[in-house]
Amino acid sequence: MSGRGYVDSNRPSPMGPNDAEIIIYGYVPSKALCGLGIALFALALGAHIYRVLRHRIWSFLPLSLACLMEIVGYIFRTLSSVKNPYTIPYFVVQYFFIVVAPVLISASIYVCLSKLIRWADNIGFKTQLGFFLRPRLLLWTFITADVVTSAIQIAGAALIGVAESNKKSPVTANNILLAGLAIQTAAFVIFLYLYISFVVQLSRDGGMRSQFIFIRPLLLAIGVSSFLVLLRTVFRLAETSEGVFGYASTHESLFGSLEFAPIVVAVWILAIWHPGQWLPKTKASGSGSAAQGEKTEA
């Protein structure tokens, strides 16, 4: 570790036009972790494509796209590991894809809650947070928040690369990245509060007992996946708050356990308990009578 960052004594920077003096990662990415990421996300991609085609719920295609983006991200981390860890474009591209992919997972979780609220409303269940749990408002509010904050994070990461390339301080760029992460974390915490409120109210309604038992596996899958996404986001927030060369950002073991692991587990949970299998089907009736849920065969 040099005064301004990590330099591999066995692999000094070639100082090409796209190279930094130091390795922005803070380490040389592990080929083993990259390979594992590519393999697990590729298998998850196949599982999600199968689920979407089987259940024909196209609104969950973003889960497949999230897996594909993770694969691309880990391919570019592999290039950093094998070819040149100093190359700024490799760092920026892998950061873009690995940061944006969880946003698509979050978007699918928002879609789940939106569909569940619409289903519950169709069978006469009313929440105490009616205004905040309006399906369309909830869906687009949180998707917009994720898109905007992800754009801020990507801009910050790109500016860090530019600052390092120009031998300037990355503090301002890191603060931009930190702002995006802070807002994203706050927004997801608010979403989790609304989700938990909906689930608790649904579970306490005696008239909804049979329906609640039916969708309980999906509710648990969404809850665990949401927690894992939040865990990953909090890690990124803590990592960025330490600065570009802080402890969290320069130890790949933390990246592996708090970025890679939570997301790969989340996509596999949503592949096994896929929303297309568990979301109740509703039939609108002129009298507004209750609609019954039917679990699609796995």
Side-chain angles (χ1 to χ4, degrees):
M1 182 77 70
S2 70
R4 293 193 61 252
Y6 178 74
V7 175
D8 187 343
S9 58
N10 297 317
R11 299 173 66 180
S13 174
M15 294 307 295
N18 294 317
D19 296 332
E21 286 187 332
I22 51 91
I23 298 174
I24 303 175
Y25 294 97
Y27 49 81
V28 177
S30 164
K31 287 184 288 186
L33 179 61
C34 293
L36 184 62
I38 293 169
L40 290 177
F41 283 114
L43 290 171
L45 172 61
H48 279 287
I49 290 175
Y50 169 78
R51 289 293 202 177
V52 167
L53 293 176
R54 180 176 179 83
H55 302 300
R56 295 185 179 278
I57 300 186
W58 312 115
S59 53
F60 292 107
L61 272 173
L63 286 170
S64 300
L65 183 57
C67 293
L68 180 60
M69 294 187 76
E70 292 282 0
I71 293 167
V72 174
Y74 283 96
I75 286 173
F76 273 87
R77 280 182 74 91
T78 303
L79 291 174
S80 291
S81 176
V82 174
K83 294 187 68 175
N84 184 1
Y86 299 90
T87 301
I88 294 170
Y90 291 166
F91 172 81
V92 173
V93 172
Q94 65 85 33
Y95 189 91
F96 169 82
F97 283 100
I98 292 176
V99 163
V100 172
V103 172
L104 298 175
I105 300 171
S106 298
S108 297
I109 291 172
Y110 304 152
V111 169
C112 283
L113 181 55
S114 177
K115 288 181 177 293
L116 285 169
I117 293 169
R118 189 173 286 111
W119 161 76
D121 185 66
N122 285 343
I123 59 177
F125 175 74
K126 303 296 180 184
T127 72
Q128 298 173 7
L129 297 169
F131 176 78
F132 298 102
L133 290 178
R134 291 164 59 185
R136 189 176 296 274
L137 176 64
L138 180 144
L139 181 64
W140 290 108
T141 295
F142 288 105
I143 285 179
T144 300
D146 270 353
V147 169
V148 172
T149 54
S150 295
I152 294 171
Q153 292 172 57
I154 293 162
L159 290 171
I160 288 172
V162 171
E164 289 298 334
S165 180
N166 295 330
K167 303 178 184 178
K168 295 182 179 178
S169 171
V171 171
T172 299
N174 191 72
N175 287 339
I176 293 172
L177 177 58
L178 181 62
L181 279 164
I183 298 170
Q184 185 179 51
T185 303
F188 201 75
V189 168
I190 293 171
F191 168 79
L192 275 178
Y193 169 76
L194 294 174
Y195 176 74
I196 292 170
S197 297
F198 172 78
V199 172
V200 169
Q201 291 176 40
L202 191 66
S203 67
R204 290 178 176 175
D205 190 307
M208 296 291 293
R209 180 169 296 277
S210 62
Q211 290 90 342
F212 177 77
I213 292 173
F214 164 72
I215 62 170
R216 187 161 51 189
L218 175 62
L219 296 175
L220 182 59
I222 295 172
V224 174
S225 299
S226 298
F227 172 78
L228 291 170
V229 171
L230 178 63
L231 175 63
R232 171 261 172 198
T233 306
V234 170
F235 162 67
R236 285 293 193 178
L237 180 63
E239 173 192 55
T240 307
S241 67
E242 289 185 348
V244 178
F245 306 116
Y247 182 87
S249 64
T250 56
H251 287 75
E252 193 175 20
S253 58
L254 293 177
F255 172 89
S257 58
L258 296 174
E259 164 68 49
F260 165 71
I263 297 304
V264 79
V265 171
V267 297
W268 272 105
I269 286 174
L270 293 173
I272 296 170
W273 291 277
H274 192 273
Q277 177 184 349
W278 291 95
L279 278 171
K281 296 179 180 179
T282 59
K283 297 180 180 180
S285 64
S287 62
S289 59
Q292 296 296 320
E294 299 180 17
K295 183 172 84 70
T296 307
E297 291 184 3

